[in-house]
Amino acid sequence: MNMLKIKKVREKARIPKRATDGAAGMDLYACINEPISIESGDLKIIPTGIAVEIPKNTAGFVFARSGLGIKHGISPSNAVGVIDSDYRGEICVGLTNHGREPFVIEPDMRIAQFVLMPVVVPQVVETDVLGETIRDNGGFGSTGMK
C-alpha cells in the first residue's frame, strides 16, 4: 500500500487531496491568515502549513494548477518544485505572476498540485564516448516543427 505521511505544521493547514479519482496530483492549499496580492511580475512565497515524509526512491514535485496558469498567469517561480525524500520542513510554494493584473491569493485557495514520482538513482560513470543515435547532438529544434 502506498502511503504518504503528512504533518500539519500550522494549525489551519489543509491536508492535500486529489480533486477527482483521475487526478495525478493532490491540491496544495495556501495556509495564510489574510489575502496576499501578487503584482504583475512579482513573486511571493506561500506557505502550505504541511510537511511530508516522502518515501525513499521517490520525490515530490510541485506543479502549477492549469487554471491559475492559463487564466491568470500564476505559476511556480521555479517552474517545477522538487521536494527531496529527506526534506522534512514545511512545503512552501513560490508563485510568480506572469499576468498583466495583480492576483490575490486567498486563505485556503488551491495554489499548486503535488505529485509523487519515482526517482532513478543511477551509478554515475565518466566516459569519453557516448552511444550514437540518429539525432546525435542535434538540439533546440533539430527535429523540426511538423
Side-chain angles (χ1 to χ4, degrees), residues 78-146:
N78 55 341
V80 176
V82 178
I83 303 169
D84 300 313
S85 65
D86 57 352
Y87 177 69
R88 295 293 186 270
E90 181 177 13
I91 295 174
C92 293
V93 179
L95 292 176
T96 296
N97 182 351
H98 299 283
R100 293 185 180 98
E101 303 294 325
F103 186 82
V104 177
I105 303 295
E106 299 285 347
D108 293 326
M109 179 182 277
R110 295 181 296 162
I111 57 169
Q113 54 183 322
F114 178 78
V115 178
L116 279 180
M117 290 190 271
V119 174
V120 176
V121 184
Q123 177 184 354
V124 177
V125 179
E126 184 178 359
T127 183
D128 292 328
V129 179
L130 299 175
E132 291 184 21
T133 67
I134 293 172
R135 183 177 183 178
D136 203 32
N137 63 355
F140 297 112
S142 66
T143 61
M145 296 291 286
K146 292 185 179 184

Side-chain angles (χ1 to χ4, degrees), residues 33-34 40 66 145:
N33 294 322
E34 56 191 39
S40 178
S66 59
M145 296 291 286

Side-chain angles (χ1 to χ4, degrees), residues 71-83:
K71 294 177 183 175
H72 305 287
I74 303 299
S75 64
S77 301
N78 55 341
V80 176
V82 178
I83 303 169

Side-chain angles (χ1 to χ4, degrees), residues 14-75:
R14 292 184 61 178
I15 298 296
K17 64 180 181 178
R18 293 166 55 219
T20 67
D21 287 344
M26 296 174 273
D27 289 323
L28 293 173
Y29 298 87
C31 187
I32 53 179
N33 294 322
E34 56 191 39
I36 295 175
S37 180
I38 307 175
E39 300 297 317
S40 178
D42 281 349
L43 63 90
K44 299 282 179 161
I45 297 174
I46 310 296
T48 66
I50 62 161
V52 296
E53 184 176 319
I54 296 172
K56 188 176 180 178
N57 295 322
T58 63
F61 295 87
V62 177
F63 292 100
R65 294 196 68 239
S66 59
L68 286 179
I70 294 194
K71 294 177 183 175
H72 305 287
I74 303 299
S75 64

